[in-house]
Amino acid sequence: MEAKDLYIKPGNQERGWNDPPQFSYGLQTAAQGAPKRTPLNKRVPPPQLTGSPCPVPGDFPSATAPMTPPTNPLAPPCSMNTPPRPCPVAAPPLGGVMATPPPPFPVVEHTDSASSQSENEPDVDDVVTLLNWALTACRHTVKKQVCNDVAKRLKLFEDMWKSGKLSLPVRRRMIGLVQELKSCNWDAADEIHRALIVDHVNEVGQWMVGVKRLIAETRNLNPDLLHTQEVDQSLDTSSAGNSD
Amino acid sequence: MATYQEFIQQNEDRDGVRFSWNLWPSSRLEATRLVVPVSCLFTPLKERPDLPPVQYEPVLCSRANCKAVLNPLCQVDYRAKIWACNFCFQRNPFPPSYAGISDVNQPAELMPQFSTIEYIVQRGPPNPLIFLYVVDTCLEEEDLQALKESLQMSLSLLPPNALVGLITFGRMVQVHELSCEGIAKSYVFRGTKELSSKQIQEMLGLTNPSASGPQGRPAAPQDPAVTCRFLQPVHKVDMNLTDLLGELQRDPWPVPQGKRPLRSTGIALSIAVGLLEGTFPNTGARVMMFMGGPPTQGPGMVVGDELKTPIRSWHDITKDNARHLKKATKYYDALANRAAVNGHSIDIYACALDQTGLLEMKCLSNLTGGHIAMGDSFNTSLFKQTFQRVFSKDHNGEFRMAFGGTLEVSTSRELKVSGAIGPCVSLKAKGPCISENEVGVGGTTQWKICSLSPSTTLALYFEVVNQHNAPIPQGGRGAVQFVTQYQHSNTQRRIRVTTVARNWADAQSQIQHIESSFDQEASAVIMARLGVFRAESEEGPDVLRWLDRQLIRLFMFHLRRSPFLQVFNNSPDECSYYRHHFVRQDLTQSLIMIQPILYSYSFHGPPEPVLLDSGSILPDRILLMDTFFQLVIYHGETIAQWRKAGYQEQPEYENFKHLLVAPVDDAQEILQTRFPMPRYIDTEHGGSQARFLLSKVNPSQTHNNLYSWGQETGAPILTDDVSLQVFMDHLKKLAVSSAA
């Protein structure tokens, strides 16, 4: 899972009252079972029944330069009215983390529109070729109906890509998926499909189930079938067409 | 063991058990005087990554009404190959496979570190898990689209060999046939006509007269995957089902102006329960119901279709003005019991801006261990992620959800079981350990928990039955054994056995020792569960008065003001939702619900916990409050002004930027794993959302006593709510007068 796939989007504030942010599949699965960095589970003991006032937070000797609370931050900044200047000495650590600041909230910016081009623009033909390689191998043993159904969805995927309806992360991760497929890393390919359908269901929902099925059927094949001449031929052809 | 704190923590880590008292008063009379009964919180499937399961059957005591499992407390004669049951003292021979054991070659279940141990047992062919989706189509277009996408996505999250089914409903109820080829067919039912289980099965063609068993009942399906067209393996039907879901339309019946859509939730559920009853009794199954509004038609309706008649409020209920309440509750209660008996659980995912009838339907989930998720719309992160997390996996890559659980409790003779409170039903098993004094779900030592997770926690209540002045039992220790049988998500059947013991103590001579063994946190949650259980069945004010008599300081104060018991400001559905989660979560999460956690972030040092008090609200602090259901980040007045002025954007004020980010990062850690997903509120001094914080803090400064404080410290809260100080003074007076 690449770092790009670990992100957080804001919640849907229009539909949900105080809707929480949405984590990508990668971030959620990474968090399962991982120990908390700073478990927030402490409480302050209550004041005695004798009625002593509750302790005011901050009644501790300050380790840094004293802070002068500004009264009017809109006034021109001066040492009286501004937040404390950072000391040349390292700022007070936050939450037990080292002086290096915590990484900023990686909020997704929607710049990766469907039509953005980059240097390493993934080529749809590469992806389709590999998918068809797997499908061809399946046709020996898997029911025709199923193969045709898969083929239909692969076509839809290809069309969506070519008409610019798929965003860059989807295209990029599909490249990764077919690489894993080619290397027979079935679980890895499966995991990518799962991450894609969780993170981008509106883009991939209609056709991803075909890819899912393709992975499931291909992994059950006799390994020899994956390397018949017919199959290798389909890998060599540059044509991405799929015959019914 | 240095302190009771450590002892308590170690036991919880190993066995998932927290007792109210860790030294037990040896007589019944003394135990009753302690107010809080001997009781515990028990997490049957507590995550134990370090505990590998063993691959053999547990060894049981041969006495017919005992059947306790061999455990580290048993006396063993290695030469004669005999063991003595520590509960009934029966002497049992070891099975032949144990011929090689000796005191230097012990089986795992006899070693003290395996006070909790898990067995994998082979019991017939593995049963697949079943997921039956019941989907409301009376949704707004945007919501229906979002829900459809979530359901399509879930097909990739289901266990690969699971069976899946689909029922949709609106005015009519449709049961969809899932086949791999041809045109999709469905069976349509009227949303108003109540049918018996048998009628439903007949109409769906599930009963084959020629294959009847000797009593004329339909025979169990030979190969369920083939015979049941409505529940098919997901790996076979995923493509068709994806298309089917994609083509779902809104309920076609037009909704006139001023009316609600006709929603036949009651019949839809009855068909779901009947379908599973007839095809897969006693198999792990999960009905997942998605609804966007209240049932308005047929049995189980909660409100009529006239919009001018609002759904019942607390006011309506106390004035006995809730027409459908009793009947609907009774209807869903009956369905819930039927599902529970068959080991089927029911989840409710309710997303709407108004109430949907959780008050009437909560038993469906509470009795079966199913989830309740409550949101505003299916097109929200709160719903989508909560739903995704149902399918979360542990560090081994295995699903956390477990099915078909049963819990059996055995106790030493001096102790009896009064009952349990949690997401369970009674199996009504008779036995010698049952107390006549029922607390919660009592009259049994066996319960069924149809759906479990690693955090599912029951509260169990015991009664000391030893007579006053009777000598302390030989060996000086009482014991309790918890045996949980369940179906793992990988379809294996497993048995987890936890055996714990505590010392008896004579209350007359050792009262200080007993008091020092008191676990305040566990007791608070245990008593709170009892309070909530009673509140669900009795009048509110009586419960509050009863609570006041329980002398547990701080937590009772917050419990008293919590949405669990104070219904003011929360709708009946919201109360049902909060209570549902409270009565099943583990200790740590339950405590957060009663007394939220508050952390303060400032330039003065690392984040520190602070008192949930108005004095903690300061202009130069950021507060992070966790109530379990909400995460609130509150910026003090000065912080808010700096933020508004944009200092965090300037490079020389990078430390301010870090300060702003710190609570967000900490909140993020909680948001990433909590189930259900909490609401997330980012607010500041004077903000409209600040009320989420203000309503939770102890108003030590109200408008009554503001001017009697020396200098102004915290922000005053304008309310007449009782302050902690006043409340505790009052409690102290009560305690002194009742002891006199």
Side-chain angles (χ1 to χ4, degrees):
Chain A
M1 187 83 43
E2 293 183 47
K4 280 181 271 199
D5 302 325
L6 307 174
Y7 60 80
I8 307 168
K9 290 191 305 194
N12 187 351
Q13 297 296 336
E14 278 164 48
R15 293 296 281 186
W17 194 245
N18 298 313
D19 203 29
Q22 188 149 1
F23 296 84
S24 67
Y25 180 82
L27 260 186
Q28 290 214 77
T29 43
Q32 308 292 347
K36 277 209 167 55
R37 181 172 51 92
T38 46
L40 300 182
N41 54 7
K42 304 267 178 298
R43 287 185 180 83
V44 174
Q48 295 308 306
L49 273 168
T50 49
S52 54
C54 72
V56 176
D59 278 347
F60 315 100
S62 185
T64 59
M67 197 188 79
T68 48
T71 47
N72 181 5
L74 295 181
C78 71
S79 56
M80 282 298 290
N81 287 1
T82 55
R85 323 266 322 173
C87 310
V89 178
L94 297 170
V97 173
M98 307 307 282
T100 50
F105 211 70
V107 179
V108 157
E109 291 155 9
H110 299 278
T111 54
D112 44 22
S113 65
S115 55
S116 67
Q117 297 286 324
S118 67
E119 282 169 19
N120 303 317
E121 173 60 36
D123 185 4
V124 60
D125 292 334
D126 293 338
V127 180
V128 174
T129 303
L130 273 163
L131 290 171
N132 282 326
W133 160 74
L135 181 56
T136 310
C138 286
R139 285 199 182 271
H140 285 96
T141 46
V142 180
K143 271 168 70 173
K144 185 168 177 228
Q145 169 88 31
V146 174
C147 292
N148 290 347
D149 216 340
V150 172
K152 195 175 70 177
R153 288 161 213 277
L154 297 186
K155 190 79 179 63
L156 176 60
F157 156 67
E158 187 186 348
D159 290 343
M160 283 184 78
W161 183 312
K162 286 182 170 161
S163 56
K165 290 192 179 133
L166 298 180
S167 62
L168 183 58
V170 172
R171 287 178 275 145
R172 178 175 45 79
R173 282 152 92 173
M174 278 305 291
I175 297 249
L177 191 153
V178 296
Q179 298 296 342
E180 300 290 2
L181 201 58
K182 183 174 171 196
S183 316
C184 301
N185 297 334
W186 316 116
D187 286 342
D190 209 26
E191 192 65 5
I192 298 177
H193 119 256
R194 213 169 289 125
L196 274 171
I197 201 168
V198 169
D199 292 340
H200 302 280
V201 65
N202 50 349
E203 281 180 62
V204 314
Q206 288 175 285
W207 51 265
M208 183 54 79
V209 65
V211 176
K212 171 192 183 224
R213 192 67 104 85
L214 186 62
I215 299 168
E217 298 291 355
T218 313
R219 78 191 293 167
N220 286 335
L221 293 178
N222 187 327
D224 297 335
L225 278 173
L226 292 167
H227 297 290
T228 61
Q229 194 181 24
E230 184 188 324
V231 170
D232 290 329
Q233 251 179 9
S234 80
L235 269 174
D236 289 335
T237 52
S238 53
S239 148
N242 173 46
S243 57
D244 250 300
Chain B
M1 228 125 306
T3 63
Y4 261 113
Q5 282 291 90
E6 287 168 20
F7 173 79
I8 287 170
Q9 194 56 55
Q10 282 180 14
N11 277 278
E12 184 183 10
D13 290 342
R14 194 182 57 238
D15 297 323
V17 183
R18 289 278 291 253
F19 274 100
S20 52
W21 302 97
N22 288 285
L23 259 187
W24 294 343
S26 56
S27 89
R28 189 163 184 264
L29 184 61
E30 297 299 334
T32 341
R33 285 221 182 106
L34 291 175
V35 180
V36 178
V38 172
S39 47
C40 71
L41 290 170
F42 174 56
T43 308
L45 297 190
K46 183 175 171 69
E47 260 178 332
R48 287 286 312 274
D50 57 320
L51 181 69
V54 297
Q55 307 250 8
Y56 49 85
E57 294 259 353
V59 174
L60 304 183
C61 174
S62 55
R63 196 193 288 266
N65 67 353
C66 177
K67 295 265 177 246
V69 179
L70 178 67
N71 65 79
L73 299 176
C74 297
Q75 298 243 338
V76 176
D77 183 338
Y78 286 103
R79 236 175 309 173
K81 301 285 189 285
I82 285 176
W83 63 281
C85 175
N86 62 301
F87 292 105
C88 71
F89 308 114
Q90 170 93 337
R91 291 163 71 75
N92 302 288
F94 279 104
S97 51
Y98 282 66
I101 64 170
S102 69
D103 48 10
V104 298
N105 184 24
Q106 289 180 315
E109 61 265 37
L110 285 176
M111 300 188 207
Q113 66 266 36
F114 289 106
S115 51
T116 291
I117 186 168
E118 188 152 297
Y119 302 83
I120 299 176
V121 294
Q122 312 300 335
R123 299 257 173 92
N127 288 321
L129 303 177
I130 303 170
F131 295 83
L132 178 53
Y133 295 155
V134 180
V135 180
D136 173 12
T137 54
C138 302
L139 304 175
E140 283 180 33
E141 197 60 60
E142 183 185 333
D143 262 48
L144 183 60
Q145 183 58 30
L147 178 56
K148 280 157 57 170
E149 284 174 359
S150 281
L151 296 177
Q152 287 170 327
M153 171 211 70
S154 73
L155 297 181
S156 286
L157 298 180
L158 289 175
N161 297 317
L163 303 188
V164 68
L166 177 66
I167 295 176
T168 53
F169 68 98
R171 185 175 169 145
M172 316 288 264
V173 179
Q174 266 182 291
V175 185
H176 298 262
E177 221 182 63
L178 304 177
S179 61
C180 310
E181 47 228 84
I183 305 165
K185 288 204 296 238
S186 63
Y187 289 63
V188 181
F189 293 78
R190 291 225 318 264
T192 46
K193 186 154 183 244
E194 197 163 350
L195 297 166
S196 73
S197 181
K198 190 155 172 282
Q199 284 173 308
I200 293 168
Q201 287 155 29
E202 274 169 9
M203 288 174 74
L204 290 175
L206 295 171
T207 56
N208 184 353
S210 61
S212 286
Q215 286 152 320
R217 281 197 246 116
Q222 296 290 350
D223 182 358
V226 169
T227 56
C228 185
R229 295 154 288 144
F230 308 105
L231 296 164
Q232 288 279 306
V234 66
H235 65 84
K236 283 212 178 108
V237 299
D238 51 6
M239 292 202 281
N240 282 351
L241 187 50
T242 299
D243 289 343
L244 188 65
L245 287 165
E247 285 153 14
L248 282 183
Q249 301 288 318
R250 290 176 65 190
D251 190 64
W253 298 93
V255 182
Q257 190 84 307
K259 297 254 191 173
R260 295 187 177 88
L262 289 172
R263 220 179 249 110
S264 318
T265 320
I267 294 291
L269 277 169
S270 142
I271 290 172
V273 170
L275 169 60
L276 286 174
E277 234 172 10
T279 50
F280 294 97
N282 295 314
T283 309
R286 191 162 212 120
V287 174
M288 301 174 112
M289 187 178 64
F290 304 85
M291 56 188 202
T296 47
Q297 177 176 256
M301 68 184 272
V302 160
V303 68
D305 64 337
E306 294 274 345
L307 272 172
K308 64 175 190 261
T309 312
I311 194 168
R312 76 289 169 278
S313 61
W314 280 123
H315 184 82
D316 294 324
I317 294 169
T318 45
K319 295 278 179 250
D320 212 13
N321 193 24
R323 277 186 58 200
H324 308 280
L325 179 58
K326 276 205 179 69
K327 203 163 160 224
T329 306
K330 195 164 165 225
Y331 177 80
Y332 292 115
D333 206 59
L335 273 182
N337 274 292
R338 273 169 59 197
V341 156
N342 278 294
H344 302 148
S345 70
I346 302 177
D347 296 342
I348 302 175
Y349 303 92
C351 285
L353 290 176
D354 198 356
Q355 296 183 72
T356 51
L358 290 179
L359 178 69
E360 292 82 352
M361 292 193 264
K362 61 182 192 278
C363 50
L364 294 168
S365 303
N366 289 346
L367 296 188
T368 63
H371 305 301
I372 299 183
M374 192 178 75
D376 302 319
S377 150
F378 289 108
N379 195 19
T380 55
S381 150
L382 189 138
F383 163 70
K384 290 180 192 175
Q385 289 193 103
T386 300
F387 183 49
Q388 280 166 29
R389 285 180 193 174
V390 172
F391 305 99
S392 70
K393 294 181 174 169
D394 62 20
H395 54 280
N396 279 335
E398 296 186 308
F399 289 94
R400 286 200 163 97
M401 55 174 127
F403 295 83
T406 61
L407 171 65
E408 180 167 3
V409 174
S410 305
T411 60
S412 6
R413 288 182 174 158
E414 302 80 20
L415 217 54
K416 285 198 196 286
V417 180
S418 301
I421 296 180
C424 63
V425 291
S426 166
L427 275 169
K428 302 190 172 74
K430 298 293 164 227
C433 304
I434 301 175
S435 162
E436 281 169 8
N437 181 22
E438 280 194 32
V439 177
V441 181
T444 183
T445 48
Q446 287 185 33
W447 299 265
K448 194 151 191 170
I449 314 170
C450 301
S451 168
L452 296 132
S453 78
S455 68
T456 303
T457 301
L458 294 184
L460 288 139
Y461 301 81
F462 302 96
E463 189 186 5
V464 176
V465 296
N466 230 20
Q467 289 310 307
H468 196 51
N469 289 329
I472 290 198
Q474 194 181 33
R477 286 203 293 182
V480 181
Q481 186 175 77
F482 309 87
V483 177
T484 310
Q485 304 198 41
Y486 70 99
Q487 182 180 14
H488 193 278
S489 60
N490 64 17
T491 73
Q492 281 173 343
R493 285 219 67 88
R494 294 197 181 188
I495 302 179
R496 191 186 277 213
V497 180
T498 294
T499 316
V500 298
R502 296 290 185 274
N503 289 332
W504 294 109
D506 172 30
Q508 293 180 317
S509 56
Q510 294 182 282
I511 190 68
Q512 290 105 321
H513 293 283
I514 293 179
E515 279 175 3
S516 64
S517 81
F518 182 63
D519 183 341
Q520 178 182 328
E521 290 182 343
S523 300
V525 174
I526 286 167
M527 296 307 276
R529 280 214 191 180
L530 195 45
V532 169
F533 187 85
R534 290 195 174 154
E536 302 259 83
S537 50
E538 296 167 25
E539 292 297 303
D542 283 346
V543 176
L544 293 177
R545 242 179 281 135
W546 167 81
L547 251 193
D548 287 345
R549 291 198 291 271
Q550 314 306 321
L551 306 173
I552 305 167
R553 300 151 39 189
L554 187 58
F555 289 121
M556 286 300 118
F557 168 79
H558 287 285
L559 175 66
R560 215 182 175 285
R561 295 168 74 227
S562 72
F564 306 114
L565 297 178
Q566 278 294 9
V567 299
F568 176 67
N569 256 349
N570 290 109
S571 69
D573 273 12
E574 281 167 332
C575 280
S576 302
Y577 175 66
Y578 295 139
R579 286 174 181 173
H580 158 88
H581 285 289
F582 182 67
V583 171
R584 61 174 55 195
Q585 278 289 347
D586 62 31
L587 178 93
T588 310
Q589 306 303 317
S590 301
L591 283 178
I592 294 174
M593 293 186 216
I594 302 177
Q595 188 184 5
I597 301 235
L598 192 63
Y599 266 70
S600 175
Y601 296 74
S602 72
F603 286 113
H604 297 301
E608 53 183 7
V610 291
L611 209 57
L612 199 54
D613 182 280
S614 56
S616 302
I617 304 177
L618 296 168
D620 60 346
R621 302 299 153 99
I622 305 178
L623 293 175
L624 170 60
M625 180 175 76
D626 181 7
T627 70
F628 184 82
F629 299 102
Q630 296 124 2
L631 281 171
V632 182
I633 297 182
Y634 173 94
H635 300 84
E637 191 171 8
T638 309
I639 304 270
Q641 286 170 342
W642 289 341
R643 184 166 72 155
K644 191 166 170 199
Y647 281 106
Q648 63 277 13
E649 309 298 340
Q650 298 173 29
E652 60 269 34
Y653 295 111
E654 204 184 350
N655 60 341
F656 179 60
K657 185 174 165 195
H658 295 164
L659 181 63
L660 286 180
V661 162
V664 171
D665 281 353
D666 288 345
Q668 183 184 321
E669 278 215 17
I670 299 171
L671 285 168
Q672 260 179 290
T673 50
R674 179 165 292 162
F675 183 91
M677 196 74 177
R679 305 235 182 212
Y680 180 73
I681 297 148
D682 185 321
T683 187
E684 59 189 32
H685 172 85
S688 65
Q689 311 272 42
R691 68 180 186 275
F692 284 105
L693 175 68
L694 301 181
S695 65
K696 297 286 181 192
V697 296
N698 164 34
S700 61
Q701 300 162 341
T702 66
H703 54 100
N704 286 331
N705 62 9
L706 177 60
Y707 297 104
S708 63
W709 284 101
Q711 59 205 62
E712 185 184 305
T713 46
I717 310 280
L718 300 180
T719 173
D720 284 313
D721 254 335
V722 169
S723 86
L724 173 60
Q725 224 47 63
V726 170
F727 182 74
M728 292 207 293
D729 289 346
H730 175 64
L731 262 189
K732 193 173 166 194
K733 286 189 199 126
L734 255 184
V736 166
S737 64
S738 70

